[in-house]
Amino acid sequence: MPGLSTLLRYETAWLGHDVVAGLVLATMLVPVGIAYAVASGLPGICGLYATIIPLLVYAVFGPSRILVLGPDSALAAVILGVVLPLSGRDPQRAVALGGMMALVSGAVLILAGLARLGFVTELLSKPIRYGYMNGIALTVLISQLPKLFGFSVESTGPLRDLWAIGGAILAGRTNWAAFAVGTATLATILVLRGSRVPGILIAVVGAAVLVGTFNLAERHNVSILGSLPQGLPGFAIPWLGVGDIVPVLIGGCAVAMVSFADTSVLSRAYAARTRTTVDPNQEMVGLGAANLATGFFQGFPISSSSSRTPVAEAAGARTQLTGIVGALAIALLLLMAPDLLGNLPTAALAAVVIASAIGLFEVADLRRIHRIQRWEFWLSITCFAGVAVFGAIPGIGLAIVIAVIEFLWDGWRPYSAVLGRPAGIEGFHDVTRYPEARRIPGLVLFRWDAPLFFANAELFRERVLAAVSESPTSVRCVVVAAAPVTSVDVTAADALVELDDALLAQGIELRFAELKDPVKDKLRRFGLFDRFGETRFFLTIDAAVSRYHGAT
């Protein structure tokens, strides 16, 4: 519980900063929380429940002193993809589905943190992360367009939804009063973004005042939020039917991956700025505990916020007491003034989500990737298209599959080289890069630049035999320069035996140089040391070459 450690070392001078920052933060947390709840297919009040509980829990279990947790636009499309088709637009079922997704996400994160799996999100390369986040941003943006235009459509997927939205606009279903309020709200947020002025608060309060003053809800049928339930969330177990289990499990796991990927990046960034360290495994536990708790109090999955955390920092936050103050301020709002936001139009809430979705798009760095590594750029575009065409959850699944394929591809077809000694250069180097390099007659020095495992074991054998057949002199010995080989599995070990048999049949001895001790330990377990003998393993390539020279 890192929060208790911070409390024991809390300095009185921090108190004023944390209280002020918490109050400033609360003014942003309320409209954003409601907006993201609606965008996720849940009642707006759930957004406030999913703000209060996580802030309190993360203050105890979270390792970051400044991170702000709550509903997030990056998760909205994933949650909506589960909630919308299963709930049948029943608010109570939607709340239960959102709560169970939070429980699944929280349990997965806590177990992964305790198992010290905080590194797993690093398996998703930056282009793949950009691809699915850009896809999610587009999905979120499209999902909010009907509310911005003042009508509704039956959601069947991002691109089909876009077609339905275009048809509704052409059919004249646009509510121009709602559209004017929504676009004005969006413009205000975008214009004031990056300034010290609370743009979201000004925009949504202005929209609510405008709707209330001119009675737009009744006169022009502008949809509004209405009164929020008075009081704090109560403990409730989100019961589901058997048919809901599989999609909720898949959605919860997808949410866990996305939320921790974002949280770990943001946490590390702020740790670097404050010159502190953050344990990624503890970050997983803290985020999981926050999700688990909010699932039992009518909330839904949450993540860190890249838009609200800077607000807390700019307001002078020193510790997680800022989040506690913000949570208590929202709780007081629900207890004392639940009707305060009754006139808030849903078009304005849609504008808040759209503004956030616009901020999720990553274009500048993709241009750089396109310039320096074209195939990774197209990998990112493939992930983006997967989310845009199939939806958030299938798209994230596609991103994971592509990440695994990318990882395996690098090891499946790795680079290999025959080595020689270039004149005037220390050591042995690739003869294709140094054509003038002198090769030792009768000796093939072969380097393999990857772990040796089931996917590339046969290719390794083929390339060694090809190097032997292409040697300009009759070969008596092959030395594998094995420094890049970080692992060997059973399939690869058996391939080494087959290779040794094939070489011995030609009167050629197989030797190894610079093999790492952990890899040697594996070969001992596999019985290869007994087969080859200690004399076939050398600490350096020079030692192997010297032995060859001495023998010949």
Side-chain angles (χ1 to χ4, degrees), residues 74-75 78 132-133 136 254-263 303 396:
L75 304 182
V78 184
Y132 78 67
M133 287 307 298
I136 285 176
V255 160
M257 185 196 71
V258 175
S259 62
F260 181 67
D262 291 347
T263 300
S303 178
I396 290 171

Side-chain angles (χ1 to χ4, degrees), residues 57-424:
V57 174
Y58 186 81
V60 177
F61 292 97
S64 174
R65 286 191 171 193
I66 197 172
L67 214 61
V68 176
L69 263 60
D72 188 60
S73 57
L75 304 182
V78 184
I79 301 168
L80 185 68
V82 175
V83 169
L84 193 60
L86 296 180
S87 67
R89 299 192 181 275
D90 178 357
Q92 294 304 314
R93 270 188 56 76
V95 172
L97 289 163
M100 186 54 74
M101 284 184 70
L103 294 182
V104 171
S105 173
V108 168
L109 287 167
I110 290 174
L111 291 174
L114 294 176
R116 308 196 67 77
L117 298 178
F119 65 90
V120 292
T121 55
E122 297 170 10
L123 299 179
L124 294 178
S125 66
K126 184 177 285 188
I128 288 176
R129 290 203 305 268
Y130 286 161
Y132 78 67
M133 287 307 298
N134 284 345
I136 285 176
L138 180 65
T139 302
V140 170
L141 194 152
I142 291 173
S143 72
Q144 297 305 299
L145 287 178
K147 297 184 182 72
L148 189 70
F149 282 92
F151 55 75
S152 61
V153 297
E154 191 67 33
S155 180
T156 54
L159 295 185
R160 289 189 291 272
D161 287 356
L162 197 59
W163 182 266
I165 291 166
I169 293 172
L170 293 176
R173 291 174 55 193
T174 302
N175 184 321
W176 292 108
F179 180 72
V181 172
T183 52
T185 304
L186 179 60
T188 303
I189 294 171
L190 294 178
V191 168
L192 296 179
R193 175 176 283 176
S195 68
R196 302 184 70 88
V197 178
I200 292 178
L201 180 65
I202 291 174
V204 297
V205 169
V209 169
L210 185 67
V211 169
T213 301
F214 293 99
N215 197 19
L216 297 182
E218 292 185 10
R219 293 174 59 186
H220 295 283
N221 200 29
V222 173
S223 177
I224 59 175
L225 180 65
S227 298
L228 297 173
Q230 187 170 22
L232 301 177
F235 180 86
I237 298 175
W239 298 107
L240 297 178
V242 176
D244 301 329
I245 293 175
V246 172
V248 167
L249 284 174
I250 295 173
C253 291
V255 160
M257 185 196 71
V258 175
S259 62
F260 181 67
D262 291 347
T263 300
S264 62
V265 170
L266 194 62
S267 178
R268 287 199 301 267
Y270 277 95
R273 289 173 64 170
T274 57
R275 297 182 180 179
T276 58
T277 58
V278 173
D279 180 0
N281 298 301
Q282 182 62 43
E283 192 68 76
M284 237 178 196
V285 171
L287 181 61
N291 270 283
L292 200 63
T294 195
F296 284 120
F297 287 90
Q298 302 166 58
F300 55 94
I302 52 90
S303 178
S304 63
S305 171
S306 58
S307 60
R308 282 154 282 173
T309 302
V311 170
E313 183 193 34
R318 296 292 188 271
T319 70
Q320 285 293 347
L321 182 61
T322 296
I324 294 175
V325 171
L328 295 177
I330 298 171
L332 285 175
L333 171 71
L334 292 179
L335 289 171
M336 302 177 65
D339 296 329
L340 189 63
L341 299 174
N343 285 322
L344 185 59
T346 55
L349 295 175
V352 172
V353 178
I354 289 171
S356 180
I358 291 172
L360 288 176
F361 283 104
E362 177 55 60
V363 177
D365 207 31
L366 274 179
R367 290 199 193 102
R368 180 182 67 89
I369 293 170
H370 180 268
R371 188 174 66 253
I372 63 178
Q373 186 87 304
R374 194 71 58 89
W375 71 269
E376 287 201 86
F377 169 81
W378 289 111
L379 192 66
S380 182
I381 296 300
T382 301
C383 290
F384 167 75
V387 177
V389 173
F390 301 112
I393 294 176
I396 290 171
L398 177 65
I400 294 172
V401 170
I402 291 175
V404 172
I405 292 173
E406 179 190 15
F407 175 75
L408 289 175
W409 182 265
D410 288 339
W412 184 31
R413 291 291 183 267
Y415 190 78
S416 61
V418 174
L419 307 181
R421 190 189 291 276

Side-chain angles (χ1 to χ4, degrees), residues 463-487:
R463 287 189 181 175
V464 171
L465 293 176
V468 170
S469 65
E470 293 166 6
S471 174
T473 60
S474 178
V475 178
R476 299 175 60 182
C477 179
V478 173
V479 175
V480 177
V485 179
T486 55
S487 181

